[in-house]
Amino acid sequence: IIKKAFMEGKMLRPGQELSPTETEEIGLLYETVINFVEEEKKEEELDNELVDYWNKVYEEQKDSLKTRPPVVTVMGHVDHGKTTLLDNIRNTKVAEGEEGGITQSIGAYQLEYNDKKITFIDTPGHEAFTEMRARGAQATDIVVLIIAADDGVMPQTIEAYNHAKDAKVPVIVAINKIDKPNANVELTKQQMVAKLNLIPEDWGGDTITVPISAISKEGIDELLEMISLVSEMEEIKCKPNGQARAVIIESKLDKFLGPVATVIVKDGILKTGDYFIAGSTYGKVRRMIDDQGRTIKKALPSTPVQVLGFNEVADTHSILYVTNSLNQAREISGKKKEKEDLANQNINKKHVKLEDFMKMMEGNQKKVLNIILKAGTFGEIEALKNSINKLQNPDIDIDIVHAGIGTVTTSDIMLASASDAVVMGFRVKVDNKAKKDAEKEGIQIKRYDIIFQLIDELKKALQGMLELEE
Ligand code: GDP
């Protein structure tokens, strides 16, 4: 595939992830129709039904929509001060307003500044943008792009900005670390212009730019004020009443509580006792815990809250929709599950296993077995290659797609998945991530310590005589 794509002027690397469109393009090089894209579309249909439903609700209830507090994400290059800023805002502002202060972190928090609420997401990632947008909702209303004044615009600054721009989310720039002696605010602004095409307001542009120090807290009040201002200008709206929908920003299996997720309510009021679907799972809101560890019975729009009562761990970044009844929740999630299982089966079926190699190749004139070989030393690789080559015969081609030294890693699995190969390890370990990925991708990993055994199993596989050992 890599060679063929290269001839067509497209550069690919082993292990590279492809978009559905790219997959389709490559499929066309082989005159193969990839149904993958279709499958994915089908999967999204159910979500789309719900999205359509909500769009209609918005259309019909235009006049009764109300503003809600903004949900803010801080993004920027590593070490530019995201965590420090979020922690310090939380510690000063939330603790100021509430007795007792924070008891636990649920991944997002809400504060009040000049009588206006603002919600901050604690642990943002770029995926949150792309995935949630694909699912028809946006978690974030405003992005604070943080740039350290002693380091300037860096690659992840640009990446973060591009995500925000793609998602059409307004951006406020916070130039951080101005307390440092080598901070250079002017130079940082020049780089904003040159590298991001963002012109600060005080330079005649329209990008709100606030110099801050996350450590000394200088400028933080101003930043919060700017957030309030932008949110007013943006008129962030919601459906204030009725059944809720919410975005899931974090999800995990808690040892004591079972599957839990932190959600931010986008519309309606989420209540204890509500039934819901979320991605391919469903549940009933058994309990809700707010960002200060208190149990609450109702969560209004833009409130972050931890929800207990999921049937299974939900996909992060999926959308939670309240349904009329448990039956409705089960029914919708059941339909989704069926589709997912089907898609997974198709994935696993695709890859070759030594035991059924001959069966899979039945009817093919030329049978090709692809192998990825990992061993402890060069000497071992050479010895194995020689022995394996002796097994070649006119009907069967054994292709060693890749031979390398050392532990079997994820990149071997990805290559195996791309080339439909079996991974054979000789006197090497398999790392844990590779094991998990192999399971997910349906890739077989075989391990041997004795050459004879490896060759013997290969021989049997080629004769269609190897029994499945699992
Ligand atoms: P993140 O990777 O963006 O989350 O960055 P962190 O918040 O972990 O900050 C990286 C380092 O920069 C830490 O050592 C912080 O103490 C330091 N730092 C963050 N903000 C400031 C600031 O305003 N001034 C100074 N002097 N150091 C800061």
Side-chain angles (χ1 to χ4, degrees), residues 77-85 146 176-180 212-216:
H77 195 73
V78 65
D79 280 347
H80 279 198
K82 292 182 291 290
T83 317
T84 311
L85 177 65
I146 195 165
N176 190 29
K177 306 200 186 182
I178 53 166
D179 59 292
K180 287 185 106 173
I212 63 162
S213 164
I215 286 202
S216 80

